[in-house]
Amino acid sequence: MGETIKVIELVGTSTDSWEDAAQNALNDADELLENLSGIEIESQTADIEDGQIERYKTTVHVAFALQDR
Amino acid sequence: MGETIKVIELVGTSTDSWEDAAQNALNDADELLENLSGIEIESQTADIEDGQIERYKTTVHVAFALQDR
Amino acid sequence: MGETIKVIELVGTSTDSWEDAAQNALNDADELLENLSGIEIESQTADIEDGQIERYKTTVHVAFALQDR
Amino acid sequence: MGETIKVIELVGTSTDSWEDAAQNALNDADELLENLSGIEIESQTADIEDGQIERYKTTVHVAFALQDR
Amino acid sequence: MGETIKVIELVGTSTDSWEDAAQNALNDADELLENLSGIEIESQTADIEDGQIERYKTTVHVAFALQDR
Amino acid sequence: MGETIKVIELVGTSTDSWEDAAQNALNDADELLENLSGIEIESQTADIEDGQIERYKTTVHVAFALQDR
Amino acid sequence: MGETIKVIELVGTSTDSWEDAAQNALNDADELLENLSGIEIESQTADIEDGQIERYKTTVHVAFALQDR
Amino acid sequence: MGETIKVIELVGTSTDSWEDAAQNALNDADELLENLSGIEIESQTADIEDGQIERYKTTVHVAFALQDR
Amino acid sequence: MGETIKVIELVGTSTDSWEDAAQNALNDADELLENLSGIEIESQTADIEDGQIERYKTTVHVAFALQDR
Amino acid sequence: MGETIKVIELVGTSTDSWEDAAQNALNDADELLENLSGIEIESQTADIEDGQIERYKTTVHVAFALQDR
Amino acid sequence: MGETIKVIELVGTSTDSWEDAAQNALNDADELLENLSGIEIESQTADIEDGQIERYKTTVHVAFALQDR
Amino acid sequence: MGETIKVIELVGTSTDSWEDAAQNALNDADELLENLSGIEIESQTADIEDGQIERYKTTVHVAFALQDR
């Protein structure tokens, strides 16, 4: 196996902030994957209830090194 | 595991219509994955044979909730 | 399972050229996956050390047919 | 007032199809506005429940002629 | 002559649906050209009269094999 | 009310030039709105009759300060 | 009236941060509109005075349900 | 033959202005084609000689109705 | 006829490399057209068979000067 | 030093027109740089005061040949 | 020299946050340049080590007024 | 001075290949700048004479670390 990197798309959520939503996506990715190498913010949206942001949603691309099966 | 969503790219095919091709991609995703939450159409192409559409191809993004391993 | 195709994003690397980096990504994908059907170049970057290209990096999309679990 | 056109963004919904969702957005626009002249599909998404499309959502741009206040 | 493909842009029209408008563009292309190989939907707009869609317009890219003059 | 700005999309028309079409959109916006602050050209198209430009159409984004109801 | 959603573009401002500028746009929208359902960040700019950020500006899209007139 | 429209890409040139370059492209298209219906500006560049604009170049899309062969 | 340039889209193919596929598209264009002036690479894809690239496909835009009929 | 070209981004301003704003950017570039070879319009905005365009702003890319230090 | 603005691309870095990385880019720009007028966030990435964000990287465009040499 | 990186746009040229054109841009950048860290291919065009590629042109973004004046 070479040094090939795979990139996946995740949407993290948080009730606090867009940055925290990105961190939550990273934490979950770290639970499922090894050799994480990078992250990029793709978009930042939020659900609104009664005029307030109820749930921050940050779409990220997470990169990690492929490993032999 | 938080409420993180993963988004994958699939290309559904059909001999009937672009909407049916999207539905076939969704059906196959539903066989392999759980907690599907959303779908988005990315592009719609088709192969042509003798001046007729032979195979409709619809590229979609499918979202589903990540689960603990 | 229909004829649904899945598309993933890989970043191949090489010390020789961008085309070789794409080939390395394809080789690694072929080790992990079956029924590869297509590849598309998304971007071509490189790391530089002392004014010379040290590592070519080619981001590709690789397509393969989904199979029953 | 010249022949200036205004363009607004709407998201139509339907339980039947993406085309029906676009039509519903148009119908609602026609209730609120006059002199509608054109419509363009921007994106097509859907919410999924138990592996099935529950709600088709079509984002459209609707154009209509501005009128004197 | 190699296996070079040419891609042209057409706008099909229909009073019935966006899919029918795409099919009409394909039919007309098939009258004028040979060796059609593929079609891709680029955009979907429509003219509106009295709050109703009067003319569906689908912009497509149509591909066909180049032939010796 | 903070210093929030709203941005709307207009299509100005003219028989003279694309710049005049933009100006006509601005004039009409100024009739309907207050506190206009900025304008941006999004696209420039035209209808053709007998090989001549019959109607210039300039799509613009117009920004204005939101006010208390 | 169906469940059609309208999407408008606002630019929020703040002397503190880009996130606060987005919140200010949301607060002003909530004063003028009902049934707000979502928000998306489109761009983040700022005016600079004497080398310091003087005014953060966040462009957002805000979605809300259309209501009968 | 239906009411299908074909769209081609031309680059007009002029020593006077970008608008004149677009007009020159239209004039040449009108010499070669019939049933021109629309034009859209895609980009505006220019060659520079001795610090002065020597040749304005405007890329346009020109639309015309397809006719039976 | 002015100095108007026409731009067409071709997809060249090759069993050797993406650069060779571009060259093949250019060679075929040169057989059919005169006054070729420029070429631009739009995208690079390939078909895969048994884990190996079977056919390189390079989409290019080719520019040439329009001539009197 | 080869024939390498550098491309910079400038925003020209004018009280008269967008084309004049582009020309002003070019004039200033010509004061600071040599071997200017090309210019491309990227965007056209304007500040508005009392419903009138007060300042036209044209963003351009200007190209010039790199020279030995 | 007119009121021409130049725009450059910088990538700021920080171990704390994406907003701090943007501020660091601005601080460094302010050390090298005068008359800074604006900043825009282009993208936000980060390097990851052992599942944690090690270095936040924010790409920004910084605008400043050109001055006579 | 922090670890801020600057990104500039160059167009390399070559009579041999697009990859060589990128290398020439890099070589010239290395003559004028220090601490080059990365390069990205933005576009690949070429001038054609008598049906043959006469000059390959590769637009690249080159990144380098900012230093104290």
Side-chain angles (χ1 to χ4, degrees), chain A residues 9-11 28 31-32 55, chain B residues 1-5 7 69:
Chain A
E9 183 166 305
L10 299 177
V11 183
D28 285 357
E31 277 190 47
L32 294 172
R55 197 163 72 133
Chain B
M1 183 65 64
E3 288 172 63
T4 298
I5 301 275
V7 180
R69 245 199 299 222

Side-chain angles (χ1 to χ4, degrees), chain B residues 9-12 40-44 57-61, chain C residues 7:
Chain B
E9 182 166 306
L10 300 177
V11 183
E40 174 153 15
I41 292 185
E42 292 298 314
S43 69
Q44 298 166 299
K57 297 188 289 190
T58 300
T59 301
V60 296
H61 281 178
Chain C
V7 179

Side-chain angles (χ1 to χ4, degrees), chain E residues 8-11 13 24-25 28 31-32 55, chain H residues 1-7 66-69:
Chain E
I8 60 173
E9 181 165 305
L10 300 177
V11 183
T13 62
N24 289 341
D28 285 357
E31 277 191 48
L32 293 172
R55 197 162 72 130
Chain H
M1 183 65 62
E3 288 172 64
T4 297
I5 301 273
K6 185 176 180 186
V7 180
L66 274 185
Q67 291 176 291
D68 299 309
R69 243 199 301 225

Side-chain angles (χ1 to χ4, degrees), chain G residues 43-67:
Chain G
S43 70
Q44 297 167 297
T45 65
D47 300 328
I48 297 173
E49 201 65 48
D50 305 326
Q52 294 302 318
I53 288 182
E54 190 210 30
R55 197 163 72 131
Y56 294 89
K57 296 189 291 191
T58 300
T59 301
V60 295
H61 281 177
V62 172
F64 59 98
L66 276 184
Q67 292 176 294

Side-chain angles (χ1 to χ4, degrees), chain D residues 11-29:
Chain D
V11 184
T13 63
S14 161
T15 55
D16 299 333
S17 72
W18 276 298
E19 195 143 329
D20 189 51
Q23 188 61 59
N24 288 341
L26 178 57
N27 297 343
D28 285 357

